[in-house]
mmCIF file of all heavy atoms in Angstrom:
data_model
loop_
_atom_site.group_PDB
_atom_site.id
_atom_site.type_symbol
_atom_site.label_atom_id
_atom_site.label_comp_id
_atom_site.label_asym_id
_atom_site.label_seq_id
_atom_site.Cartn_x
_atom_site.Cartn_y
_atom_site.Cartn_z
ATOM 1 N N ASN A 91 75.580 15.217 57.065
ATOM 2 C CA ASN A 91 74.656 14.211 57.451
ATOM 3 C C ASN A 91 74.514 14.250 58.990
ATOM 4 O O ASN A 91 75.328 14.799 59.664
ATOM 5 C CB ASN A 91 75.041 12.806 57.013
ATOM 6 C CG ASN A 91 76.344 12.370 57.563
ATOM 7 O OD1 ASN A 91 76.470 12.187 58.774
ATOM 8 N ND2 ASN A 91 77.319 12.095 56.710
ATOM 9 N N MET A 92 73.445 13.676 59.442
ATOM 10 C CA MET A 92 73.142 13.484 60.886
ATOM 11 C C MET A 92 72.783 12.035 61.148
ATOM 12 O O MET A 92 72.291 11.339 60.265
ATOM 13 C CB MET A 92 72.011 14.417 61.301
ATOM 14 C CG MET A 92 72.328 15.874 61.086
ATOM 15 S SD MET A 92 70.934 16.996 61.809
ATOM 16 C CE MET A 92 71.363 16.923 63.505
ATOM 17 N N ALA A 93 73.048 11.620 62.335
ATOM 18 C CA ALA A 93 72.872 10.216 62.664
ATOM 19 C C ALA A 93 72.572 9.984 64.136
ATOM 20 O O ALA A 93 72.874 10.884 65.018
ATOM 21 C CB ALA A 93 74.086 9.378 62.258
ATOM 22 N N TRP A 94 72.008 8.869 64.416
ATOM 23 C CA TRP A 94 71.834 8.362 65.816
ATOM 24 C C TRP A 94 72.648 7.139 65.985
ATOM 25 O O TRP A 94 72.630 6.221 65.126
ATOM 26 C CB TRP A 94 70.348 8.053 66.085
ATOM 27 C CG TRP A 94 69.465 9.224 66.152
ATOM 28 C CD1 TRP A 94 68.629 9.759 65.203
ATOM 29 C CD2 TRP A 94 69.276 10.083 67.357
ATOM 30 N NE1 TRP A 94 67.940 10.853 65.673
ATOM 31 C CE2 TRP A 94 68.343 11.069 66.997
ATOM 32 C CE3 TRP A 94 69.864 10.073 68.601
ATOM 33 C CZ2 TRP A 94 67.935 12.049 67.883
ATOM 34 C CZ3 TRP A 94 69.395 11.030 69.493
ATOM 35 C CH2 TRP A 94 68.498 12.037 69.133
ATOM 36 N N TYR A 95 73.375 7.140 67.069
ATOM 37 C CA TYR A 95 74.177 5.993 67.432
ATOM 38 C C TYR A 95 73.668 5.569 68.801
ATOM 39 O O TYR A 95 72.935 6.246 69.522
ATOM 40 C CB TYR A 95 75.646 6.347 67.637
ATOM 41 C CG TYR A 95 76.397 6.564 66.366
ATOM 42 C CD1 TYR A 95 76.168 7.640 65.526
ATOM 43 C CD2 TYR A 95 77.367 5.645 65.943
ATOM 44 C CE1 TYR A 95 76.871 7.782 64.348
ATOM 45 C CE2 TYR A 95 78.103 5.798 64.765
ATOM 46 C CZ TYR A 95 77.861 6.914 63.979
ATOM 47 O OH TYR A 95 78.580 7.077 62.817
ATOM 48 N N ARG A 96 74.011 4.352 69.226
ATOM 49 C CA ARG A 96 73.719 3.868 70.591
ATOM 50 C C ARG A 96 74.869 3.023 71.117
ATOM 51 O O ARG A 96 75.669 2.505 70.310
ATOM 52 C CB ARG A 96 72.411 3.084 70.593
ATOM 53 C CG ARG A 96 72.429 1.718 69.846
ATOM 54 C CD ARG A 96 71.026 1.142 69.847
ATOM 55 N NE ARG A 96 71.022 -0.168 69.168
ATOM 56 C CZ ARG A 96 69.886 -0.826 68.894
ATOM 57 N NH1 ARG A 96 68.690 -0.329 69.302
ATOM 58 N NH2 ARG A 96 69.894 -2.001 68.289
ATOM 59 N N GLN A 97 74.936 3.068 72.417
ATOM 60 C CA GLN A 97 76.042 2.283 73.040
ATOM 61 C C GLN A 97 75.489 1.589 74.278
ATOM 62 O O GLN A 97 74.883 2.241 75.182
ATOM 63 C CB GLN A 97 77.158 3.259 73.408
ATOM 64 C CG GLN A 97 78.435 2.610 73.942
ATOM 65 C CD GLN A 97 79.631 3.548 73.966
ATOM 66 O OE1 GLN A 97 79.442 4.784 74.026
ATOM 67 N NE2 GLN A 97 80.827 2.950 73.888
ATOM 68 N N ILE A 98 75.821 0.350 74.402
ATOM 69 C CA ILE A 98 75.518 -0.418 75.598
ATOM 70 C C ILE A 98 76.826 -0.497 76.415
ATOM 71 O O ILE A 98 77.895 -0.627 75.824
ATOM 72 C CB ILE A 98 75.101 -1.866 75.233
ATOM 73 C CG1 ILE A 98 73.783 -1.761 74.393
ATOM 74 C CG2 ILE A 98 74.859 -2.756 76.430
ATOM 75 C CD1 ILE A 98 73.363 -3.031 73.753
ATOM 76 N N PRO A 99 76.735 -0.360 77.728
ATOM 77 C CA PRO A 99 78.053 -0.435 78.538
ATOM 78 C C PRO A 99 78.883 -1.647 78.173
ATOM 79 O O PRO A 99 78.337 -2.783 78.102
ATOM 80 C CB PRO A 99 77.501 -0.453 79.941
ATOM 81 C CG PRO A 99 76.152 0.232 79.865
ATOM 82 C CD PRO A 99 75.581 -0.130 78.586
ATOM 83 N N GLY A 100 80.148 -1.378 77.956
ATOM 84 C CA GLY A 100 81.045 -2.480 77.662
ATOM 85 C C GLY A 100 81.134 -2.849 76.191
ATOM 86 O O GLY A 100 81.833 -3.703 75.764
ATOM 87 N N GLN A 101 80.307 -2.162 75.387
ATOM 88 C CA GLN A 101 80.277 -2.421 73.969
ATOM 89 C C GLN A 101 80.576 -1.170 73.142
ATOM 90 O O GLN A 101 80.529 -0.085 73.676
ATOM 91 C CB GLN A 101 78.943 -2.985 73.554
ATOM 92 C CG GLN A 101 78.524 -4.320 74.188
ATOM 93 C CD GLN A 101 77.263 -4.926 73.576
ATOM 94 O OE1 GLN A 101 76.831 -4.538 72.514
ATOM 95 N NE2 GLN A 101 76.669 -5.805 74.331
ATOM 96 N N GLU A 102 80.912 -1.401 71.873
ATOM 97 C CA GLU A 102 81.253 -0.200 71.023
ATOM 98 C C GLU A 102 79.987 0.496 70.641
ATOM 99 O O GLU A 102 78.893 -0.121 70.590
ATOM 100 C CB GLU A 102 81.996 -0.741 69.791
ATOM 101 C CG GLU A 102 83.405 -1.251 70.060
ATOM 102 C CD GLU A 102 84.165 -1.554 68.764
ATOM 103 O OE1 GLU A 102 83.589 -1.366 67.711
ATOM 104 O OE2 GLU A 102 85.302 -1.978 68.876
ATOM 105 N N ARG A 103 80.157 1.760 70.380
ATOM 106 C CA ARG A 103 79.057 2.553 69.847
ATOM 107 C C ARG A 103 78.733 2.118 68.446
ATOM 108 O O ARG A 103 79.647 1.922 67.658
ATOM 109 C CB ARG A 103 79.433 4.012 69.925
ATOM 110 C CG ARG A 103 78.300 5.008 69.752
ATOM 111 C CD ARG A 103 78.797 6.450 70.038
ATOM 112 N NE ARG A 103 79.265 6.643 71.357
ATOM 113 C CZ ARG A 103 79.622 7.829 71.898
ATOM 114 N NH1 ARG A 103 79.548 8.891 71.182
ATOM 115 N NH2 ARG A 103 79.960 7.904 73.154
ATOM 116 N N GLU A 104 77.435 1.960 68.208
ATOM 117 C CA GLU A 104 77.037 1.492 66.842
ATOM 118 C C GLU A 104 76.006 2.496 66.261
ATOM 119 O O GLU A 104 75.227 3.093 67.002
ATOM 120 C CB GLU A 104 76.427 0.140 66.890
ATOM 121 C CG GLU A 104 75.123 0.083 67.712
ATOM 122 C CD GLU A 104 74.379 -1.267 67.647
ATOM 123 O OE1 GLU A 104 74.901 -2.185 66.870
ATOM 124 O OE2 GLU A 104 73.353 -1.436 68.296
ATOM 125 N N VAL A 105 76.084 2.627 64.925
ATOM 126 C CA VAL A 105 75.163 3.488 64.274
ATOM 127 C C VAL A 105 73.810 2.818 64.204
ATOM 128 O O VAL A 105 73.691 1.619 63.957
ATOM 129 C CB VAL A 105 75.651 3.821 62.825
ATOM 130 C CG1 VAL A 105 75.771 2.594 62.002
ATOM 131 C CG2 VAL A 105 74.775 4.901 62.203
ATOM 132 N N VAL A 106 72.784 3.585 64.458
ATOM 133 C CA VAL A 106 71.359 3.119 64.413
ATOM 134 C C VAL A 106 70.706 3.532 63.115
ATOM 135 O O VAL A 106 70.115 2.774 62.449
ATOM 136 C CB VAL A 106 70.624 3.614 65.618
ATOM 137 C CG1 VAL A 106 69.179 3.205 65.539
ATOM 138 C CG2 VAL A 106 71.152 3.122 66.913
ATOM 139 N N ALA A 107 70.804 4.811 62.848
ATOM 140 C CA ALA A 107 70.223 5.360 61.597
ATOM 141 C C ALA A 107 70.946 6.651 61.203
ATOM 142 O O ALA A 107 71.483 7.324 62.057
ATOM 143 C CB ALA A 107 68.737 5.713 61.890
ATOM 144 N N ARG A 108 70.929 6.902 59.885
ATOM 145 C CA ARG A 108 71.615 8.089 59.393
ATOM 146 C C ARG A 108 70.782 8.686 58.325
ATOM 147 O O ARG A 108 70.048 8.037 57.630
ATOM 148 C CB ARG A 108 72.948 7.621 58.774
ATOM 149 C CG ARG A 108 73.850 8.701 58.370
ATOM 150 C CD ARG A 108 75.051 8.147 57.576
ATOM 151 N NE ARG A 108 75.690 7.035 58.254
ATOM 152 C CZ ARG A 108 76.655 7.120 59.176
ATOM 153 N NH1 ARG A 108 77.033 8.368 59.487
ATOM 154 N NH2 ARG A 108 77.236 6.086 59.764
ATOM 155 N N ILE A 109 70.845 10.025 58.226
ATOM 156 C CA ILE A 109 70.121 10.760 57.159
ATOM 157 C C ILE A 109 71.045 11.819 56.577
ATOM 158 O O ILE A 109 71.770 12.549 57.258
ATOM 159 C CB ILE A 109 68.838 11.442 57.718
ATOM 160 C CG1 ILE A 109 68.069 12.065 56.597
ATOM 161 C CG2 ILE A 109 69.115 12.407 58.869
ATOM 162 C CD1 ILE A 109 66.617 12.471 57.020
ATOM 163 N N THR A 110 71.186 11.820 55.268
ATOM 164 C CA THR A 110 72.059 12.738 54.584
ATOM 165 C C THR A 110 71.336 14.068 54.364
ATOM 166 O O THR A 110 70.152 14.253 54.565
ATOM 167 C CB THR A 110 72.513 12.142 53.245
ATOM 168 O OG1 THR A 110 71.361 12.192 52.328
ATOM 169 C CG2 THR A 110 73.001 10.771 53.394
ATOM 170 N N ASN A 111 72.119 15.008 53.746
ATOM 171 C CA ASN A 111 71.566 16.326 53.482
ATOM 172 C C ASN A 111 70.574 16.322 52.339
ATOM 173 O O ASN A 111 69.838 17.259 52.178
ATOM 174 C CB ASN A 111 72.626 17.367 53.210
ATOM 175 C CG ASN A 111 73.548 17.013 52.055
ATOM 176 O OD1 ASN A 111 73.386 15.966 51.489
ATOM 177 N ND2 ASN A 111 74.383 17.921 51.670
ATOM 178 N N THR A 112 70.497 15.237 51.653
ATOM 179 C CA THR A 112 69.510 15.036 50.543
ATOM 180 C C THR A 112 68.305 14.315 51.029
ATOM 181 O O THR A 112 67.395 14.037 50.282
ATOM 182 C CB THR A 112 70.123 14.352 49.324
ATOM 183 O OG1 THR A 112 70.549 13.054 49.720
ATOM 184 C CG2 THR A 112 71.295 15.145 48.757
ATOM 185 N N GLY A 113 68.317 13.811 52.280
ATOM 186 C CA GLY A 113 67.209 13.116 52.820
ATOM 187 C C GLY A 113 67.278 11.635 52.736
ATOM 188 O O GLY A 113 66.330 10.903 53.120
ATOM 189 N N THR A 114 68.333 11.120 52.181
ATOM 190 C CA THR A 114 68.522 9.670 52.103
ATOM 191 C C THR A 114 68.746 9.103 53.453
ATOM 192 O O THR A 114 69.554 9.656 54.251
ATOM 193 C CB THR A 114 69.698 9.321 51.171
ATOM 194 O OG1 THR A 114 69.513 9.847 49.862
ATOM 195 C CG2 THR A 114 69.840 7.792 51.067
ATOM 196 N N THR A 115 68.054 8.009 53.775
ATOM 197 C CA THR A 115 68.152 7.403 55.096
ATOM 198 C C THR A 115 68.775 5.994 55.039
ATOM 199 O O THR A 115 68.594 5.297 53.996
ATOM 200 C CB THR A 115 66.767 7.309 55.774
ATOM 201 O OG1 THR A 115 65.909 6.553 54.913
ATOM 202 C CG2 THR A 115 66.219 8.690 55.981
ATOM 203 N N HIS A 116 69.387 5.629 56.097
ATOM 204 C CA HIS A 116 70.023 4.326 56.236
ATOM 205 C C HIS A 116 69.757 3.821 57.636
ATOM 206 O O HIS A 116 69.841 4.601 58.582
ATOM 207 C CB HIS A 116 71.508 4.317 55.926
ATOM 208 C CG HIS A 116 71.907 4.858 54.653
ATOM 209 N ND1 HIS A 116 71.952 4.101 53.436
ATOM 210 C CD2 HIS A 116 72.220 6.140 54.306
ATOM 211 C CE1 HIS A 116 72.332 4.862 52.492
ATOM 212 N NE2 HIS A 116 72.456 6.141 52.882
ATOM 213 N N TYR A 117 69.492 2.547 57.781
ATOM 214 C CA TYR A 117 69.146 1.908 59.134
ATOM 215 C C TYR A 117 69.967 0.681 59.314
ATOM 216 O O TYR A 117 70.166 -0.071 58.300
ATOM 217 C CB TYR A 117 67.695 1.602 59.229
ATOM 218 C CG TYR A 117 66.771 2.787 59.155
ATOM 219 C CD1 TYR A 117 66.225 3.193 57.924
ATOM 220 C CD2 TYR A 117 66.362 3.492 60.261
ATOM 221 C CE1 TYR A 117 65.376 4.243 57.757
ATOM 222 C CE2 TYR A 117 65.527 4.585 60.178
ATOM 223 C CZ TYR A 117 65.045 5.011 58.950
ATOM 224 O OH TYR A 117 64.231 6.044 58.847
ATOM 225 N N THR A 118 70.350 0.450 60.544
ATOM 226 C CA THR A 118 70.942 -0.850 60.804
ATOM 227 C C THR A 118 69.853 -1.885 60.781
ATOM 228 O O THR A 118 68.667 -1.601 61.111
ATOM 229 C CB THR A 118 71.662 -0.791 62.215
ATOM 230 O OG1 THR A 118 72.429 -1.964 62.367
ATOM 231 C CG2 THR A 118 70.663 -0.714 63.331
ATOM 232 N N ASP A 119 70.178 -3.125 60.443
ATOM 233 C CA ASP A 119 69.179 -4.139 60.254
ATOM 234 C C ASP A 119 68.333 -4.332 61.510
ATOM 235 O O ASP A 119 67.093 -4.622 61.414
ATOM 236 C CB ASP A 119 69.856 -5.427 59.892
ATOM 237 C CG ASP A 119 70.388 -5.487 58.470
ATOM 238 O OD1 ASP A 119 69.967 -4.543 57.719
ATOM 239 O OD2 ASP A 119 71.138 -6.378 58.151
#
Side-chain angles (χ1 to χ4, degrees):
N91 64 61
M92 299 186 76
W94 288 99
Y95 285 71
R96 66 186 181 187
Q97 188 169 24
I98 299 170
Q101 298 187 19
E102 291 188 359
R103 194 171 296 186
E104 64 171 359
V105 62
V106 174
R108 188 188 310 274
I109 184 167
T110 70
N111 59 353
T112 60
T114 302
T115 58
H116 304 272
Y117 298 91
T118 190
D119 286 345

